[in-house]
Short mmCIF file of all heavy atoms in Angstrom, two decimals:
data_model
loop_
_atom_site.label_atom_id
_atom_site.label_comp_id
_atom_site.label_asym_id
_atom_site.label_seq_id
_atom_site.Cartn_x
_atom_site.Cartn_y
_atom_site.Cartn_z
N MET A 291 6.25 -9.18 23.92
CA MET A 291 7.50 -9.41 23.20
C MET A 291 7.50 -10.80 22.63
O MET A 291 7.06 -11.76 23.24
CB MET A 291 8.68 -9.24 24.19
CG MET A 291 9.96 -9.72 23.62
SD MET A 291 11.50 -8.84 23.88
CE MET A 291 11.26 -7.75 25.23
N TYR A 292 8.01 -10.91 21.39
CA TYR A 292 8.10 -12.20 20.71
C TYR A 292 9.55 -12.61 20.64
O TYR A 292 10.42 -11.79 20.47
CB TYR A 292 7.55 -12.12 19.31
CG TYR A 292 6.18 -11.48 19.19
CD1 TYR A 292 5.98 -10.39 18.33
CD2 TYR A 292 5.11 -11.97 19.91
CE1 TYR A 292 4.73 -9.82 18.21
CE2 TYR A 292 3.85 -11.39 19.79
CZ TYR A 292 3.66 -10.30 18.93
OH TYR A 292 2.45 -9.71 18.83
N GLU A 293 9.77 -13.91 20.73
CA GLU A 293 11.11 -14.43 20.50
C GLU A 293 11.03 -15.37 19.31
O GLU A 293 10.28 -16.35 19.33
CB GLU A 293 11.63 -15.17 21.73
CG GLU A 293 13.17 -15.33 21.68
CD GLU A 293 13.72 -15.85 23.00
OE1 GLU A 293 13.76 -17.07 23.14
OE2 GLU A 293 14.05 -15.03 23.85
N LEU A 294 11.77 -15.01 18.25
CA LEU A 294 11.70 -15.79 17.01
C LEU A 294 13.02 -16.50 16.76
O LEU A 294 14.09 -15.95 17.04
CB LEU A 294 11.43 -14.86 15.82
CG LEU A 294 10.38 -13.77 16.00
CD1 LEU A 294 10.32 -12.90 14.77
CD2 LEU A 294 9.02 -14.37 16.26
N GLN A 295 12.91 -17.69 16.24
CA GLN A 295 14.11 -18.45 15.81
C GLN A 295 14.14 -18.38 14.30
O GLN A 295 13.21 -18.85 13.62
CB GLN A 295 13.98 -19.89 16.32
CG GLN A 295 15.16 -20.80 16.00
CD GLN A 295 16.37 -20.47 16.88
OE1 GLN A 295 16.22 -20.07 18.03
NE2 GLN A 295 17.55 -20.58 16.31
N ILE A 296 15.21 -17.80 13.77
CA ILE A 296 15.35 -17.69 12.32
C ILE A 296 16.72 -18.25 11.92
O ILE A 296 17.73 -17.55 11.90
CB ILE A 296 15.22 -16.23 11.84
CG1 ILE A 296 13.88 -15.65 12.34
CG2 ILE A 296 15.30 -16.13 10.30
CD1 ILE A 296 13.62 -14.18 11.95
N ASP A 297 16.70 -19.54 11.60
CA ASP A 297 17.99 -20.25 11.34
C ASP A 297 18.72 -19.74 10.11
O ASP A 297 19.93 -19.80 9.99
CB ASP A 297 17.76 -21.76 11.22
CG ASP A 297 17.44 -22.40 12.56
OD1 ASP A 297 17.71 -21.73 13.61
OD2 ASP A 297 16.93 -23.54 12.58
N ASP A 298 17.94 -19.18 9.13
CA ASP A 298 18.55 -18.69 7.89
C ASP A 298 19.23 -17.34 8.05
O ASP A 298 19.86 -16.84 7.13
CB ASP A 298 17.51 -18.61 6.78
CG ASP A 298 17.11 -20.00 6.29
OD1 ASP A 298 17.77 -20.99 6.68
OD2 ASP A 298 16.13 -20.08 5.50
N MET A 299 19.12 -16.77 9.23
CA MET A 299 19.73 -15.45 9.49
C MET A 299 21.16 -15.72 10.00
O MET A 299 21.35 -16.14 11.14
CB MET A 299 18.91 -14.71 10.57
CG MET A 299 19.45 -13.34 10.92
SD MET A 299 18.48 -12.59 12.28
CE MET A 299 18.96 -13.66 13.65
N THR A 300 22.12 -15.54 9.09
CA THR A 300 23.47 -16.01 9.41
C THR A 300 24.54 -14.93 9.48
O THR A 300 25.68 -15.22 9.84
CB THR A 300 23.89 -17.06 8.39
OG1 THR A 300 23.71 -16.54 7.07
CG2 THR A 300 23.02 -18.32 8.50
N CYS A 301 24.24 -13.73 9.04
CA CYS A 301 25.29 -12.71 9.03
C CYS A 301 24.67 -11.32 9.30
O CYS A 301 23.45 -11.20 9.44
CB CYS A 301 26.07 -12.71 7.72
SG CYS A 301 25.10 -12.05 6.32
N GLY A 302 25.53 -10.32 9.33
CA GLY A 302 25.06 -8.97 9.61
C GLY A 302 24.09 -8.44 8.57
O GLY A 302 23.15 -7.73 8.91
N HIS A 303 24.25 -8.86 7.33
CA HIS A 303 23.33 -8.48 6.27
C HIS A 303 21.93 -9.03 6.56
O HIS A 303 20.95 -8.31 6.45
CB HIS A 303 23.84 -8.96 4.91
CG HIS A 303 22.85 -8.78 3.81
ND1 HIS A 303 22.58 -7.58 3.23
CD2 HIS A 303 21.99 -9.67 3.22
CE1 HIS A 303 21.61 -7.75 2.33
NE2 HIS A 303 21.24 -9.00 2.31
N CYS A 304 21.87 -10.31 6.88
CA CYS A 304 20.60 -10.93 7.22
C CYS A 304 19.98 -10.22 8.41
O CYS A 304 18.76 -9.92 8.40
CB CYS A 304 20.80 -12.40 7.62
SG CYS A 304 21.51 -13.44 6.39
N ALA A 305 20.75 -9.91 9.43
CA ALA A 305 20.24 -9.25 10.61
C ALA A 305 19.61 -7.92 10.27
O ALA A 305 18.54 -7.60 10.80
CB ALA A 305 21.39 -9.09 11.62
N SER A 306 20.27 -7.15 9.38
CA SER A 306 19.69 -5.85 9.05
C SER A 306 18.46 -5.98 8.19
O SER A 306 17.51 -5.20 8.31
CB SER A 306 20.75 -4.93 8.42
OG SER A 306 21.21 -5.47 7.23
N LYS A 307 18.45 -7.01 7.36
CA LYS A 307 17.24 -7.25 6.52
C LYS A 307 16.05 -7.65 7.40
O LYS A 307 14.92 -7.19 7.20
CB LYS A 307 17.55 -8.39 5.51
CG LYS A 307 16.51 -8.64 4.48
CD LYS A 307 16.52 -7.64 3.34
CE LYS A 307 15.24 -7.61 2.51
NZ LYS A 307 15.01 -8.87 1.75
N VAL A 308 16.32 -8.49 8.39
CA VAL A 308 15.28 -8.92 9.34
C VAL A 308 14.76 -7.71 10.10
O VAL A 308 13.55 -7.49 10.24
CB VAL A 308 15.84 -10.02 10.29
CG1 VAL A 308 14.92 -10.19 11.49
CG2 VAL A 308 15.98 -11.32 9.56
N THR A 309 15.66 -6.89 10.60
CA THR A 309 15.27 -5.69 11.34
C THR A 309 14.43 -4.78 10.48
O THR A 309 13.36 -4.30 10.89
CB THR A 309 16.54 -4.93 11.82
OG1 THR A 309 17.33 -5.82 12.62
CG2 THR A 309 16.16 -3.72 12.66
N LYS A 310 14.91 -4.52 9.25
CA LYS A 310 14.22 -3.65 8.31
C LYS A 310 12.80 -4.16 8.01
O LYS A 310 11.83 -3.39 7.94
CB LYS A 310 15.02 -3.54 7.03
CG LYS A 310 14.69 -2.33 6.20
CD LYS A 310 15.66 -2.22 5.01
CE LYS A 310 15.00 -1.41 3.89
NZ LYS A 310 14.91 -2.15 2.63
N THR A 311 12.67 -5.48 7.83
CA THR A 311 11.37 -6.05 7.51
C THR A 311 10.39 -5.83 8.64
O THR A 311 9.21 -5.47 8.38
CB THR A 311 11.55 -7.59 7.25
OG1 THR A 311 12.45 -7.78 6.18
CG2 THR A 311 10.21 -8.25 6.94
N VAL A 312 10.82 -5.99 9.88
CA VAL A 312 9.92 -5.75 11.00
C VAL A 312 9.59 -4.28 11.14
O VAL A 312 8.41 -3.92 11.37
CB VAL A 312 10.56 -6.30 12.34
CG1 VAL A 312 9.68 -5.98 13.50
CG2 VAL A 312 10.81 -7.80 12.23
N ILE A 313 10.57 -3.41 10.96
CA ILE A 313 10.35 -1.99 11.12
C ILE A 313 9.41 -1.45 10.00
O ILE A 313 8.61 -0.52 10.26
CB ILE A 313 11.69 -1.20 11.10
CG1 ILE A 313 12.55 -1.62 12.25
CG2 ILE A 313 11.49 0.31 11.07
CD1 ILE A 313 12.10 -1.18 13.65
N GLU A 314 9.46 -2.06 8.82
CA GLU A 314 8.59 -1.64 7.74
C GLU A 314 7.13 -1.95 8.09
O GLU A 314 6.20 -1.29 7.64
CB GLU A 314 8.98 -2.33 6.45
CG GLU A 314 10.06 -1.57 5.68
CD GLU A 314 10.57 -2.32 4.46
OE1 GLU A 314 10.10 -3.42 4.19
OE2 GLU A 314 11.46 -1.77 3.78
N LEU A 315 6.94 -3.00 8.89
CA LEU A 315 5.62 -3.41 9.31
C LEU A 315 5.13 -2.55 10.47
O LEU A 315 3.94 -2.22 10.54
CB LEU A 315 5.72 -4.88 9.76
CG LEU A 315 4.52 -5.83 9.49
CD1 LEU A 315 4.15 -5.86 8.07
CD2 LEU A 315 4.87 -7.20 10.03
N ASP A 316 6.03 -2.24 11.37
CA ASP A 316 5.70 -1.44 12.57
C ASP A 316 6.91 -0.56 12.90
O ASP A 316 7.89 -1.01 13.46
CB ASP A 316 5.40 -2.37 13.74
CG ASP A 316 5.19 -1.62 15.03
OD1 ASP A 316 5.17 -0.39 15.03
OD2 ASP A 316 5.05 -2.31 16.07
N ALA A 317 6.77 0.73 12.53
CA ALA A 317 7.89 1.68 12.70
C ALA A 317 8.27 1.84 14.16
O ALA A 317 9.40 2.30 14.45
CB ALA A 317 7.50 3.00 12.08
N THR A 318 7.39 1.51 15.09
CA THR A 318 7.68 1.66 16.51
C THR A 318 8.25 0.38 17.15
O THR A 318 8.51 0.37 18.33
CB THR A 318 6.43 2.09 17.30
OG1 THR A 318 5.49 1.01 17.26
CG2 THR A 318 5.78 3.35 16.69
N ALA A 319 8.39 -0.65 16.36
CA ALA A 319 8.85 -1.92 16.90
C ALA A 319 10.30 -1.81 17.36
O ALA A 319 11.10 -1.05 16.82
CB ALA A 319 8.75 -3.00 15.85
N LYS A 320 10.63 -2.59 18.40
CA LYS A 320 12.04 -2.69 18.85
C LYS A 320 12.48 -4.09 18.50
O LYS A 320 11.85 -5.09 18.83
CB LYS A 320 12.10 -2.44 20.37
CG LYS A 320 11.92 -1.00 20.73
CD LYS A 320 12.29 -0.75 22.18
CE LYS A 320 12.12 0.72 22.53
NZ LYS A 320 10.66 1.09 22.53
N VAL A 321 13.64 -4.16 17.85
CA VAL A 321 14.16 -5.43 17.36
C VAL A 321 15.57 -5.66 17.93
O VAL A 321 16.43 -4.79 17.84
CB VAL A 321 14.23 -5.44 15.81
CG1 VAL A 321 14.71 -6.81 15.31
CG2 VAL A 321 12.86 -5.10 15.20
N GLU A 322 15.75 -6.80 18.54
CA GLU A 322 17.00 -7.17 19.14
C GLU A 322 17.44 -8.48 18.52
O GLU A 322 16.71 -9.47 18.55
CB GLU A 322 16.80 -7.41 20.66
CG GLU A 322 17.63 -6.56 21.58
CD GLU A 322 17.24 -6.88 23.00
OE1 GLU A 322 17.75 -7.87 23.56
OE2 GLU A 322 16.37 -6.17 23.53
N ILE A 323 18.66 -8.49 17.97
CA ILE A 323 19.11 -9.69 17.25
C ILE A 323 20.26 -10.35 18.00
O ILE A 323 21.19 -9.67 18.45
CB ILE A 323 19.62 -9.27 15.83
CG1 ILE A 323 18.52 -8.52 15.09
CG2 ILE A 323 20.15 -10.50 15.07
CD1 ILE A 323 17.85 -9.17 13.97
N ASP A 324 20.20 -11.64 18.15
CA ASP A 324 21.35 -12.39 18.67
C ASP A 324 21.76 -13.35 17.58
O ASP A 324 21.19 -14.42 17.40
CB ASP A 324 20.98 -13.17 19.96
CG ASP A 324 22.24 -13.77 20.57
OD1 ASP A 324 23.17 -13.02 20.87
OD2 ASP A 324 22.27 -15.01 20.70
N LEU A 325 22.76 -12.91 16.81
CA LEU A 325 23.20 -13.65 15.65
C LEU A 325 23.73 -15.09 15.93
O LEU A 325 23.32 -16.01 15.23
CB LEU A 325 24.27 -12.81 14.89
CG LEU A 325 24.36 -12.99 13.36
CD1 LEU A 325 23.01 -12.99 12.69
CD2 LEU A 325 25.27 -11.92 12.79
N PRO A 326 24.57 -15.26 16.94
CA PRO A 326 25.12 -16.61 17.18
C PRO A 326 24.01 -17.67 17.42
O PRO A 326 24.19 -18.83 17.02
CB PRO A 326 25.97 -16.43 18.43
CG PRO A 326 26.35 -14.99 18.42
CD PRO A 326 25.20 -14.26 17.84
N THR A 327 22.93 -17.28 18.05
CA THR A 327 21.84 -18.25 18.32
C THR A 327 20.70 -18.12 17.31
O THR A 327 19.69 -18.82 17.39
CB THR A 327 21.29 -18.08 19.74
OG1 THR A 327 20.76 -16.73 19.87
CG2 THR A 327 22.33 -18.27 20.78
N HIS A 328 20.82 -17.19 16.36
CA HIS A 328 19.77 -16.96 15.34
C HIS A 328 18.45 -16.57 15.95
O HIS A 328 17.39 -16.93 15.44
CB HIS A 328 19.60 -18.17 14.43
CG HIS A 328 20.89 -18.70 13.90
ND1 HIS A 328 21.60 -18.09 12.90
CD2 HIS A 328 21.60 -19.82 14.23
CE1 HIS A 328 22.70 -18.80 12.66
NE2 HIS A 328 22.72 -19.85 13.43
N LYS A 329 18.50 -15.86 17.07
CA LYS A 329 17.27 -15.44 17.74
C LYS A 329 16.98 -13.96 17.55
O LYS A 329 17.92 -13.17 17.52
CB LYS A 329 17.37 -15.76 19.23
CG LYS A 329 17.11 -17.21 19.57
CD LYS A 329 16.90 -17.35 21.06
CE LYS A 329 16.28 -18.70 21.45
NZ LYS A 329 17.14 -19.82 21.15
N VAL A 330 15.73 -13.65 17.45
CA VAL A 330 15.27 -12.26 17.31
C VAL A 330 14.23 -11.97 18.33
O VAL A 330 13.22 -12.74 18.47
CB VAL A 330 14.69 -11.98 15.89
CG1 VAL A 330 14.32 -10.53 15.73
CG2 VAL A 330 15.65 -12.41 14.80
N ARG A 331 14.40 -10.93 19.10
CA ARG A 331 13.39 -10.47 20.04
C ARG A 331 12.69 -9.25 19.48
O ARG A 331 13.36 -8.32 19.08
CB ARG A 331 13.99 -10.15 21.38
CG ARG A 331 14.33 -11.38 22.20
CD ARG A 331 15.09 -11.04 23.48
NE ARG A 331 14.93 -12.14 24.43
CZ ARG A 331 14.15 -12.06 25.53
NH1 ARG A 331 13.51 -10.91 25.82
NH2 ARG A 331 14.04 -13.07 26.31
N VAL A 332 11.41 -9.30 19.43
CA VAL A 332 10.65 -8.19 18.82
C VAL A 332 9.60 -7.68 19.84
O VAL A 332 8.82 -8.45 20.42
CB VAL A 332 9.89 -8.66 17.55
CG1 VAL A 332 9.04 -7.53 16.99
CG2 VAL A 332 10.88 -9.18 16.53
N GLN A 333 9.67 -6.40 20.07
CA GLN A 333 8.67 -5.70 20.92
C GLN A 333 7.79 -4.94 19.94
O GLN A 333 8.23 -3.98 19.30
CB GLN A 333 9.41 -4.75 21.85
CG GLN A 333 8.49 -3.99 22.81
CD GLN A 333 8.31 -4.79 24.08
OE1 GLN A 333 9.22 -5.04 24.82
NE2 GLN A 333 7.07 -5.19 24.33
N SER A 334 6.53 -5.41 19.79
CA SER A 334 5.64 -4.80 18.82
C SER A 334 4.19 -5.14 19.12
O SER A 334 3.92 -6.20 19.72
CB SER A 334 6.01 -5.31 17.41
OG SER A 334 5.04 -4.90 16.47
N ASP A 335 3.30 -4.28 18.72
CA ASP A 335 1.88 -4.54 18.87
C ASP A 335 1.30 -5.32 17.65
O ASP A 335 0.15 -5.73 17.64
CB ASP A 335 1.06 -3.25 19.05
CG ASP A 335 1.38 -2.60 20.38
OD1 ASP A 335 1.72 -3.39 21.35
OD2 ASP A 335 1.34 -1.39 20.52
N THR A 336 2.13 -5.42 16.65
CA THR A 336 1.72 -6.18 15.43
C THR A 336 1.62 -7.66 15.78
O THR A 336 2.46 -8.19 16.56
CB THR A 336 2.76 -5.94 14.29
OG1 THR A 336 2.85 -4.56 14.04
CG2 THR A 336 2.33 -6.67 13.05
N ALA A 337 0.62 -8.33 15.24
CA ALA A 337 0.45 -9.76 15.53
C ALA A 337 1.65 -10.59 15.06
O ALA A 337 2.22 -10.31 14.01
CB ALA A 337 -0.84 -10.27 14.85
N LEU A 338 1.96 -11.60 15.85
CA LEU A 338 3.09 -12.47 15.57
C LEU A 338 2.96 -13.11 14.18
O LEU A 338 3.94 -13.22 13.43
CB LEU A 338 3.20 -13.54 16.65
CG LEU A 338 4.26 -14.59 16.55
CD1 LEU A 338 5.64 -13.98 16.45
CD2 LEU A 338 4.21 -15.55 17.73
N VAL A 339 1.72 -13.49 13.82
CA VAL A 339 1.53 -14.16 12.52
C VAL A 339 1.85 -13.22 11.36
O VAL A 339 2.42 -13.66 10.36
CB VAL A 339 0.05 -14.70 12.45
CG1 VAL A 339 -0.97 -13.57 12.50
CG2 VAL A 339 -0.13 -15.51 11.17
N ASP A 340 1.58 -11.93 11.54
CA ASP A 340 1.87 -10.97 10.48
C ASP A 340 3.39 -10.76 10.35
O ASP A 340 3.93 -10.65 9.23
CB ASP A 340 1.17 -9.61 10.75
CG ASP A 340 -0.31 -9.74 10.65
OD1 ASP A 340 -0.79 -10.61 9.90
OD2 ASP A 340 -1.03 -8.97 11.34
N ILE A 341 4.06 -10.70 11.47
CA ILE A 341 5.52 -10.53 11.45
C ILE A 341 6.15 -11.78 10.83
O ILE A 341 7.04 -11.66 10.00
CB ILE A 341 6.04 -10.33 12.89
CG1 ILE A 341 5.55 -8.96 13.43
CG2 ILE A 341 7.58 -10.40 12.95
CD1 ILE A 341 5.88 -8.71 14.91
N SER A 342 5.69 -12.96 11.22
CA SER A 342 6.26 -14.19 10.67
C SER A 342 6.04 -14.29 9.16
O SER A 342 6.96 -14.70 8.44
CB SER A 342 5.58 -15.39 11.34
OG SER A 342 5.85 -15.43 12.70
N GLU A 343 4.88 -13.83 8.70
CA GLU A 343 4.57 -13.89 7.28
C GLU A 343 5.49 -12.93 6.49
O GLU A 343 6.03 -13.30 5.45
CB GLU A 343 3.11 -13.47 7.08
CG GLU A 343 2.47 -14.07 5.85
CD GLU A 343 0.98 -13.72 5.77
OE1 GLU A 343 0.21 -14.42 6.44
OE2 GLU A 343 0.64 -12.77 5.06
N ALA A 344 5.69 -11.71 7.02
CA ALA A 344 6.54 -10.74 6.36
C ALA A 344 7.97 -11.24 6.31
O ALA A 344 8.65 -11.09 5.29
CB ALA A 344 6.47 -9.41 7.08
N LEU A 345 8.45 -11.87 7.39
CA LEU A 345 9.81 -12.40 7.41
C LEU A 345 9.97 -13.55 6.43
O LEU A 345 11.00 -13.66 5.73
CB LEU A 345 10.18 -12.82 8.85
CG LEU A 345 10.43 -11.64 9.80
CD1 LEU A 345 10.50 -12.15 11.20
CD2 LEU A 345 11.70 -10.89 9.42
N ALA A 346 8.97 -14.43 6.35
CA ALA A 346 9.03 -15.53 5.38
C ALA A 346 9.08 -15.00 3.96
O ALA A 346 9.88 -15.47 3.11
CB ALA A 346 7.81 -16.44 5.56
N ASP A 347 8.27 -13.96 3.67
CA ASP A 347 8.27 -13.31 2.36
C ASP A 347 9.64 -12.71 2.04
O ASP A 347 10.04 -12.67 0.87
CB ASP A 347 7.20 -12.22 2.30
CG ASP A 347 5.80 -12.81 2.20
OD1 ASP A 347 5.67 -14.04 1.99
OD2 ASP A 347 4.80 -12.04 2.35
N ALA A 348 10.32 -12.22 3.04
CA ALA A 348 11.64 -11.59 2.86
C ALA A 348 12.76 -12.67 2.72
O ALA A 348 13.91 -12.28 2.50
CB ALA A 348 11.94 -10.65 4.02
N GLY A 349 12.38 -13.91 2.92
CA GLY A 349 13.39 -15.00 2.76
C GLY A 349 13.95 -15.50 4.09
O GLY A 349 14.95 -16.20 4.07
N TYR A 350 13.32 -15.09 5.17
CA TYR A 350 13.79 -15.52 6.47
C TYR A 350 12.67 -16.17 7.27
O TYR A 350 12.09 -15.60 8.19
CB TYR A 350 14.36 -14.32 7.23
CG TYR A 350 15.55 -13.74 6.55
CD1 TYR A 350 15.43 -12.59 5.77
CD2 TYR A 350 16.78 -14.37 6.62
CE1 TYR A 350 16.57 -12.09 5.09
CE2 TYR A 350 17.87 -13.87 5.95
CZ TYR A 350 17.76 -12.74 5.18
OH TYR A 350 18.84 -12.26 4.51
N PRO A 351 12.39 -17.45 6.95
CA PRO A 351 11.29 -18.14 7.61
C PRO A 351 11.58 -18.32 9.14
O PRO A 351 12.69 -18.62 9.52
CB PRO A 351 11.21 -19.51 6.91
CG PRO A 351 12.48 -19.62 6.15
CD PRO A 351 13.00 -18.23 5.89
N VAL A 352 10.55 -18.10 9.90
CA VAL A 352 10.62 -18.28 11.34
C VAL A 352 10.37 -19.75 11.63
O VAL A 352 9.29 -20.29 11.37
CB VAL A 352 9.55 -17.42 12.05
CG1 VAL A 352 9.57 -17.64 13.56
CG2 VAL A 352 9.80 -15.92 11.74
N VAL A 353 11.37 -20.44 12.19
CA VAL A 353 11.24 -21.89 12.43
C VAL A 353 10.59 -22.19 13.80
O VAL A 353 10.06 -23.27 14.01
CB VAL A 353 12.56 -22.63 12.30
CG1 VAL A 353 13.03 -22.56 10.85
CG2 VAL A 353 13.65 -22.08 13.19
N ALA A 354 10.64 -21.22 14.71
CA ALA A 354 9.98 -21.41 16.03
C ALA A 354 9.77 -20.03 16.60
O ALA A 354 10.51 -19.09 16.30
CB ALA A 354 10.86 -22.20 16.95
N SER A 355 8.70 -19.87 17.35
CA SER A 355 8.46 -18.59 17.98
C SER A 355 7.71 -18.76 19.28
O SER A 355 6.93 -19.68 19.47
CB SER A 355 7.64 -17.71 17.02
OG SER A 355 6.41 -18.31 16.67
N THR A 356 7.97 -17.84 20.22
CA THR A 356 7.27 -17.83 21.48
C THR A 356 6.96 -16.38 21.81
O THR A 356 7.61 -15.46 21.41
CB THR A 356 8.10 -18.43 22.63
OG1 THR A 356 9.41 -17.83 22.62
CG2 THR A 356 8.20 -19.92 22.57
N THR A 357 5.85 -16.23 22.57
CA THR A 357 5.55 -14.92 23.11
C THR A 357 6.06 -14.92 24.55
O THR A 357 5.69 -15.79 25.32
CB THR A 357 4.02 -14.70 23.10
OG1 THR A 357 3.58 -14.82 21.74
CG2 THR A 357 3.65 -13.30 23.58
N VAL A 358 6.92 -13.95 24.85
CA VAL A 358 7.53 -13.93 26.20
C VAL A 358 7.12 -12.65 26.93
O VAL A 358 6.67 -11.69 26.30
CB VAL A 358 9.06 -14.06 26.16
CG1 VAL A 358 9.42 -15.46 25.74
CG2 VAL A 358 9.68 -13.05 25.24
CU1 CU B 431 23.39 -13.07 5.82
#
C-alpha cells in the first residue's frame, strides 16, 4: 500500500479525478482519499513511480509518498 501526499487535491472533483487516474492504470486498485489532509492511500501492484507519473500528468503532483 502506498500513501501519497497530493496538496493540489482540494475538493471532491479533484478526489474523483485522482481516483479515476489510478483506476485507469490498475482497474483492481483500491483508492482511499482523505481530503482534509490531502492524503491518498492506494492498494495496487502497479509501481509507485508509475502511479506518481500518471497523477502528475493529470495535474495532481505527488509531493511526498511512502510505502506502508
Ligand atoms: Cu478540486
Side-chain angles (χ1 to χ4, degrees):
M291 167 140 18
Y292 310 125
E293 199 171 88
L294 316 176
Q295 182 73 33
I296 305 180
D297 288 344
D298 288 350
M299 181 184 70
T300 53
C301 72
H303 170 76
C304 300
S306 61
K307 186 82 198 292
V308 164
T309 303
K310 199 173 156 238
T311 301
V312 176
I313 296 292
E314 274 174 0
L315 214 57
D316 174 6
T318 66
K320 287 192 179 68
V321 183
E322 237 177 84
I323 306 249
D324 187 59
L325 208 45
T327 59
H328 310 287
K329 281 194 165 65
V330 183
R331 282 174 158 254
V332 178
Q333 181 89 64
S334 171
D335 291 331
T336 303
L338 179 56
V339 62
D340 293 332
I341 292 174
S342 297
E343 208 175 279
L345 286 168
D347 286 349
Y350 297 101
V352 177
V353 293
S355 57
T356 48
T357 302
V358 290

